[in-house]
Amino acid sequence: MVIVALASSVWSQTETERNIMPQFTSPVCVLPRMIVSATVLLLAACVALPITTTGVRADCLAPAKSDDQDVRRNADLLGQDSGLCLSRETFSENGRDWDLTIIRNKVHDRGPLIYLVHDNEQSAFDTALYSVRRYGGSLVAVESGEKRSHAGQDPNRNFAINASDAATCRDMVTKPAPEFTEIMRALNPDRQSFFLTLHNNDDGYSGGGGLGTINVERPSSIMQGMPAPQSASDTDDALLIAGIEPFGANKHARAVTDHMHEAGYHVIYELVKSSNNDCSFSNFVVLNNLGDYYNIETQHGHTAQQKQILDHLMAYLRFRPQNQEVK
């Protein structure tokens, strides 16, 4: 099992030291910042994994030669920015070979990390790349050949450390998936107290004349839509936040909602319960108290709208643009 984490002393290195750090080819065994489950202690093992101080491979790959169609589509843009580094992480679990595309900003590496778990959501990828270029940080994308599922498994229903956690997860094909879960979790840097993911959805919602599943107007016992007052924003475009408390009792959720509503952006609040755990990323983060969870959801093709919501969220999280020229 690969568990990627960093000693606190690593973050004190200079940018020059990080860029010239050689690959570690000897077995590396490092523990995550938080033991999510006692099962982790039984599963953790040392493996040979070349890593840099940011937890990704040290070599930077050529975008034009990438197997990832999203990368190739943005190859010219990536090639123009010498501060970006493209790398991959691969591993196997439960008979599936996983391939993660990672793009990090070497110049401004302290920006946010963004997760992309569905490979058929092009606007989400383009918005995440925009964030890496404008605010720094990195993105990690599951490569599934431009498909939502990977070898028959929805990656966003594959987060479970042990069998007990996965017991209620009807859409998790092979239970549990501790390696996938820990690798994805541990890529989030210690300094980042939240998990941020981007998604795209279909127009409208089933039952309301549309095809999607996420919409601020869709009635649900789990998802509480809170449209921004007097807003002309598309109801498919919203910031989704999650918590274990009802919305009215969640001070953080109410503060985020007020901030987004001020700019006319919709919010959806997901009420997470262990009895209804679906092994999604949001459920995993919330049920294990790993930090705040944010998901910027927009309709397919609404790249400009997704960037706008991201910009407003970055302001709330106090991330300043590192490159004002990136639009």
Side-chain angles (χ1 to χ4, degrees):
M1 176 179 179
V2 182
I3 301 180
V4 184
L6 304 172
S8 60
S9 61
V10 168
W11 296 104
S12 65
Q13 291 178 316
T14 66
E15 180 61 35
T16 301
E17 290 170 333
R18 281 192 290 269
N19 287 338
I20 65 174
M21 180 65 67
Q23 293 186 9
F24 295 99
T25 54
S26 58
V28 176
C29 185
V30 284
L31 293 176
R33 61 182 176 184
M34 179 187 300
I35 298 299
V36 175
S37 168
T39 307
V40 175
L41 297 176
L42 301 177
L43 295 171
C46 294
V47 296
L49 176 66
I51 62 172
T52 66
T53 56
T54 54
V56 297
R57 295 177 185 272
D59 52 317
C60 295
L61 306 175
K65 297 181 179 180
S66 174
D67 294 331
D68 190 321
Q69 293 184 36
D70 293 307
V71 171
R72 292 205 306 271
R73 178 165 50 82
N74 287 282
D76 290 343
L77 193 63
L78 288 164
Q80 294 170 7
D81 196 331
S82 61
L84 300 183
C85 179
L86 168 68
S87 61
R88 294 173 60 193
E89 289 292 350
T90 58
F91 61 96
S92 298
E93 185 182 38
N94 294 335
R96 295 181 183 84
D97 296 326
W98 294 97
D99 190 347
L100 305 180
T101 294
I102 300 172
I103 301 175
R104 64 186 177 94
N105 191 318
K106 298 183 297 181
V107 179
H108 304 290
D109 64 346
R110 297 186 67 83
L113 170 70
I114 296 178
Y115 291 91
L116 304 166
V117 296
H118 288 150
D119 197 23
N120 67 326
E121 299 172 352
Q122 282 75 38
S123 291
F125 187 95
D126 293 349
T127 301
L129 181 57
Y130 159 84
S131 178
V132 174
R133 298 179 64 229
R134 182 174 174 83
Y135 296 98
S138 57
L139 69 82
V140 54
V142 176
E143 166 56 29
S144 303
E146 303 306 302
K147 298 177 181 179
R148 179 184 177 89
S149 295
H150 182 77
Q153 175 64 60
D154 182 345
N156 200 32
R157 294 295 184 271
N158 199 51
F159 290 87
I161 293 292
N162 53 50
S164 176
D165 292 341
T168 58
C169 303
R170 294 176 297 179
D171 295 327
M172 192 172 191
V173 179
T174 310
K175 306 175 182 181
E179 189 168 359
F180 174 91
T181 304
E182 276 302 313
I183 287 177
M184 293 291 280
R185 187 208 62 78
L187 285 170
N188 210 46
D190 286 352
R191 57 181 165 73
Q192 184 165 306
S193 61
F194 61 88
F195 288 76
L196 172 59
T197 183
L198 306 183
H199 282 279
N200 298 133
N201 54 70
D202 292 320
D203 186 22
Y205 63 93
S206 178
L211 300 174
T213 58
I214 301 293
N215 187 286
V216 74
E217 294 182 341
R218 183 191 181 198
S220 169
S221 60
I222 298 175
M223 301 286 189
Q224 179 180 350
M226 288 165 289
Q230 300 178 338
S231 173
S233 297
D234 193 304
T235 56
D236 291 310
D237 304 339
L239 174 68
L240 190 151
I241 51 182
I244 59 174
E245 302 172 304
F247 176 76
N250 192 320
K251 183 177 180 180
H252 164 72
R254 288 187 283 111
V256 175
T257 300
D258 289 344
H259 176 78
M260 302 307 292
H261 279 181
E262 288 174 358
Y265 299 122
H266 306 309
V267 176
I268 299 174
Y269 182 72
E270 179 182 8
L271 181 61
V272 178
K273 298 180 180 179
S274 58
S275 59
N276 294 328
N277 178 29
D278 59 5
C279 289
S280 62
F281 200 9
S282 62
N283 281 214
F284 172 70
V285 169
V286 171
L287 290 174
N288 288 286
N289 196 29
L290 299 181
D292 298 325
Y293 175 84
Y294 302 101
N295 168 19
I296 302 176
E297 284 268 2
T298 64
Q299 184 178 322
H300 287 287
H302 285 195
T303 309
Q305 293 88 331
Q306 198 159 31
K307 288 180 180 179
Q308 291 169 0
I309 298 174
L310 176 109
D311 285 337
H312 203 61
L313 179 62
M314 290 298 101
Y316 177 82
L317 297 173
R318 298 184 180 181
F319 283 101
R320 295 180 179 179
Q322 303 298 319
N323 187 342
Q324 296 278 5
E325 296 181 0
V326 175
K327 304 294 184 181

